[in-house]
C-alpha cells in the first residue's frame, strides 16, 4: 500500500471498502490515496461493487443513465495547466502570509543597511530562523482557511498536504533569506539548520495545540531567548553561533520524529 507502483490493495480490503464497512482512518486514507493513482485497483473495486453493494451499483447505474446525455454533449474538460497543479501545493490564505514573511527579510536588510545594530550583528541573522514560521502559521489553520473542513475531508489531507504546503512556503521564503544574507555578507550555514528546526518544532507542536498557537509559541520563545538578547547585548547569541549547529540538528531530528508519530492528528477536523 505504501508503494503505489509495487503493491496493490488486497481483495478483502477492496470488498470491505465496497460494502462501506468500518475501516481504520489511516488505512482508509491510504487506500483512497492508492485508488487515485492505481487503475488496476479501481477496476477491481468496480468489479466488486455489484456483488458487495448491489444497491450502490444500481444507484450508480441509474445516475449514469440520467447524466449520460449531458455528459456526451458538454464541452471538453480543459487540461490542468502548470498553475493549476501548483495550486495543489498552496492555499489561498497563504499568499499574504508568505509575502509578509518575505517582507520581514527585506525590512531586516533595510534596517541593517541604514541603521547600526548593536555589536554589528545583522538583523537578518537573528530573524531568519523564525521568518518562515509566519507563513507556516497559515498553512493548516482552521481560523484562517475558510475551506479547512473541506480540505481536511479529502483523501490526501493530513500530514501529506501539510508538508507539501510547508515546502511551498519554504520555497518562496528561503531564497529571499539567502539573498538577504548574501547582501550583508552573512553565511546561510549558521541560520539554515535553526530555521528548519524551528519549522519542524512548529509543525510538531501544532499537532498538539493547533498550528497557529504553535507558531506564536515558537516566535515568542525565539524573540525572548535569541532576538532580544542579540539586540540588547554585545554578544552573539549562542543559538545562531556555529557551535550550536549540532544542537539544532538534534532538535530537528526529535521534532521530525514527534511529527511522524503525531501524523494522524492533522487528519482530524
Amino acid at each position: 500500500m505504501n508503494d503505489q507502483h509495487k503493491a496493490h490493495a488486497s481483495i478483502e480490503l477492496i470488498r470491505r471498502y465496497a460494502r462501506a464497512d468500518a475501516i481504520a482512518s489511516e488505512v482508509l486514507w491510504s487506500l483512497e490515496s492508492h485508488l487515485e493513482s492505481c487503475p488496476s485497483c479501481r477496476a477491481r473495486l468496480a468489479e466488486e461493487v455489484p456483488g458487495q453493494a448491489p444497491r450502490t451499483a444500481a444507484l450508480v447505474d441509474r445516475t449514469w443513465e440520467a447524466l449520460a446525455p449531458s455528459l456526451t454533449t458538454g464541452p471538453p474538460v480543459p487540461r490542468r495547466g502548470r498553475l493549476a497543479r501548483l495550486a495543489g501545493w498552496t492555499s489561498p490564505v497563504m499568499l499574504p502570509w508568505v509575502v509578509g514573511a518575505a517582507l520581514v527579510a527585506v525590512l531586516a536588510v533595510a534596517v541593517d543597511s541604514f541603521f547600526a545594530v548593536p555589536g554589528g550583528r545583522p538583523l537578518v541573522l537573528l530573524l531568519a530562523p523564525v521568518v518562515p514560521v509566519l507563513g507556516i502559521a497559515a498553512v493548516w489553520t482552521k481560523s484562517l482557511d475558510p475551506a479547512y473542513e473541506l480540505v481536511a475531508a479529502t483523501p490526501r489531507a493530513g500530514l501529506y498536504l501539510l508538508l507539501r504546503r510547508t515546502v511551498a512556503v519554504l520555497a518562496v521564503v528561503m531564497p529571499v533569506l539567502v539573498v538577504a544574507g548574501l547582501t550583508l555578507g552573512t553565511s546561510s550555514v549558521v541560520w539554515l539548520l535553526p530555521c528548519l528546526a524551528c519549522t519542524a518544532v512548529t509543525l510538531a507542536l501544532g499537532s498538539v495545540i493547533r498550528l497557529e498557537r504553535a507558531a506564536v509559541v515558537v516566535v515568542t520563545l525565539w524573540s525572548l531567548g535569541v532576538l532580544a538578547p542579540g539586540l540588547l547585548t554585545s554578544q552573539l547569541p549562542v543559538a545562531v553561533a556555529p557551535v550550536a549547529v549540532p544542537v539544532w540538528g538534534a532538535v530537528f531530528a526529535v521534532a521530525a520524529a514527534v511529527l511522524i508519530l503525531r501524523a494522524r492528528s492533522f487528519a482530524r477536523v
Side-chain angles (χ1 to χ4, degrees), residues 58-75:
L59 176 60
V60 171
D61 291 339
R62 291 195 301 270
T63 302
W64 274 113
E65 290 177 1
L67 293 177
S70 59
L71 292 176
T72 54
T73 58

Side-chain angles (χ1 to χ4, degrees), residues 101 104-105 108 112 122-134 170 173-174 176-181 186-199 219 222 226-227 240:
V104 169
D112 287 327
L123 186 58
V124 172
L125 177 62
L126 301 177
L127 288 175
V130 290
V131 167
V133 175
L134 300 176
L170 294 176
V173 176
M174 295 291 273
V176 176
L177 291 172
V178 172
V179 172
T186 301
S187 173
S188 60
V189 175
V190 292
W191 61 260
L192 180 58
L193 197 53
C195 179
L196 296 177
C198 287
T199 299
V219 172
W222 182 269
V226 180
L227 181 59
V240 289

Side-chain angles (χ1 to χ4, degrees), residues 12-225:
E12 180 58 30
L13 180 58
I14 289 179
R15 288 173 178 171
R16 290 176 57 196
Y17 184 76
R19 293 194 301 265
D21 291 348
I23 302 176
S25 58
E26 64 273 15
V27 177
L28 180 62
W29 178 90
S30 180
L31 174 61
E32 291 180 338
S33 299
H34 179 74
L35 288 172
E36 285 184 354
S37 58
C38 182
S40 176
C41 285
R42 288 200 302 270
R44 294 167 66 189
L45 175 62
E47 294 173 356
E48 292 295 331
V49 167
Q52 302 297 327
R55 293 184 178 179
T56 301
L59 176 60
V60 171
D61 291 339
R62 291 195 301 270
T63 302
W64 274 113
E65 290 177 1
L67 293 177
S70 59
L71 292 176
T72 54
T73 58
V77 179
R79 297 182 59 184
R80 295 184 64 191
R82 293 183 179 180
L83 291 179
R85 291 192 295 269
L86 181 62
W89 288 70
T90 61
S91 167
V93 300
M94 284 175 55
L95 181 60
W97 286 78
V98 174
V99 172
L103 285 177
V104 169
V106 174
L107 291 175
V109 173
V111 170
D112 287 327
S113 300
F114 297 102
F115 300 95
V117 178
R121 290 172 304 284
L123 186 58
V124 172
L125 177 62
L126 301 177
L127 288 175
V130 290
V131 167
V133 175
L134 300 176
I136 301 302
V139 165
W140 196 248
T141 302
K142 294 181 181 180
S143 58
L144 295 178
D145 190 352
Y148 175 84
E149 287 80 5
L150 180 62
V151 173
T154 59
R156 288 186 176 270
L159 183 59
Y160 174 81
L161 183 58
L162 174 64
L163 292 179
R164 280 175 52 148
R165 291 183 172 181
T166 300
V167 170
V169 172
L170 294 176
V172 175
V173 176
M174 295 291 273
V176 176
L177 291 172
V178 172
V179 172
L182 293 176
T183 302
L184 300 170
T186 301
S187 173
S188 60
V189 175
V190 292
W191 61 260
L192 180 58
L193 197 53
C195 179
L196 296 177
C198 287
T199 299
V201 169
T202 301
L203 297 180
L205 189 59
S207 69
V208 180
I209 63 171
R210 290 172 54 176
L211 204 57
E212 68 271 30
R213 295 177 182 175
V216 171
V217 170
V218 171
V219 172
T220 301
L221 291 177
W222 182 269
S223 299
L224 296 176

